[in-house]
Amino acid sequence: MDILDISAYNQQKAWEIIETTRIISQWESIGATVHIVGSLKTGLMMKNRDIDMHIYTDKISIAESFKVMYRLTEALSLKEIQYKNLIETEEEYIEWHALYEDKENNIWKFDMIHIHKGSKYDGVVEKVTDAITQKLTPKIRETILRIKAEIPEEVSIAGIEIYHAVFTGGVRNYKELEYWRHTNPLINSLDWTP
């Protein structure tokens, strides 16, 4: 399969997983609004099987957030869960990261950010995601997917750093990306849009 086929396949699988796990409806059961963000939303998913979600509620209840995760743990084949409480910071959210094993024994990572509606970062990532999507051309999409495919398995680079390098720096391959990251670090990813 070429990179476009791999990307399309992984995106299709991600949407199927969202549907079969009923993960969105679990969050909606506590009155949350769920937004898919990141590479799945932009169509730039490659070999990293990450499903990024921003989950908004009028107030953040630790108990309600744990209730959803408890139900997901009972219903799904979750292999690992990480929790981070940032409610008392300017971010005003709870981070959940869960590893899920699908029927083909592939591991998917759910990144679920439970955010206080109306807080400082409400909608920020969604705006960046929409801006990336609007400025994608077939050539830029292929360049980003190729770079993602070239990144060695042991190296972890956030997608937003790749998008920054391609849109802002004209980076065209992994070697150029490494140089760009050292000479033009993305200090605050929430301040950048293409």
Side-chain angles (χ1 to χ4, degrees), residues 10-89:
N10 282 338
Q11 288 172 80
Q12 177 188 349
K13 292 298 291 181
W15 287 113
E16 287 173 11
I17 286 168
I18 289 170
E19 181 69 29
T20 59
T21 60
R22 300 181 62 244
I23 195 164
I24 291 176
S25 63
Q26 291 287 357
W27 284 105
E28 289 173 341
S29 74
I30 65 164
T33 302
V34 180
H35 297 172
I36 301 297
V37 295
S39 63
L40 180 56
K41 176 73 175 190
T42 60
L44 294 170
M45 182 175 281
M46 189 57 205
K47 58 186 179 182
N48 287 343
R49 295 179 179 97
D50 291 347
I51 298 173
D52 301 311
M53 293 179 276
H54 280 196
I55 299 144
Y56 293 92
T57 52
D58 290 326
K59 68 178 191 120
I60 296 188
S61 162
I62 294 172
E64 290 290 296
S65 205
F66 265 92
K67 185 191 301 182
V68 171
M69 292 308 297
Y70 174 76
R71 288 195 305 249
L72 290 173
T73 302
E74 277 194 322
L76 306 178
S77 178
L78 296 181
K79 299 298 179 188
E80 179 181 314
I81 297 174
Q82 294 177 348
Y83 161 80
K84 192 171 187 180
N85 182 339
L86 297 169
I87 295 172
E88 299 300 326
T89 69

Side-chain angles (χ1 to χ4, degrees), residues 72-175:
L72 290 173
T73 302
E74 277 194 322
L76 306 178
S77 178
L78 296 181
K79 299 298 179 188
E80 179 181 314
I81 297 174
Q82 294 177 348
Y83 161 80
K84 192 171 187 180
N85 182 339
L86 297 169
I87 295 172
E88 299 300 326
T89 69
E90 70 174 351
E91 284 90 353
E92 294 185 65
Y93 61 67
I94 295 172
E95 275 185 39
W96 291 104
H97 304 284
L99 299 183
Y100 167 75
E101 187 173 359
D102 69 16
K103 292 176 183 173
E104 289 85 36
N105 300 318
N106 294 311
I107 300 295
W108 292 79
K109 184 178 176 198
F110 289 116
D111 291 323
M112 298 166 281
I113 312 302
H114 183 183
I115 304 169
H116 177 225
K117 195 182 292 181
S119 64
K120 179 177 180 178
Y121 294 109
D122 183 342
V124 172
V125 172
E126 288 84 342
K127 287 176 189 163
V128 174
T129 300
D130 289 344
I132 290 167
T133 303
Q134 290 169 7
K135 296 199 175 185
L136 274 179
T137 64
K139 183 177 180 182
I140 290 173
R141 178 186 304 279
E142 189 169 347
T143 298
I144 290 170
L145 293 176
R146 189 175 341 96
I147 291 170
K148 286 184 171 188
E150 292 172 357
I151 296 173
E153 294 297 327
E154 68 276 5
V155 175
S156 178
I157 300 174
I160 194 74
E161 289 187 73
I162 299 166
Y163 312 149
H164 175 248
V166 171
F167 280 107
T168 306
V171 166
R172 296 291 172 244
N173 58 52
Y174 174 64
K175 186 175 180 180

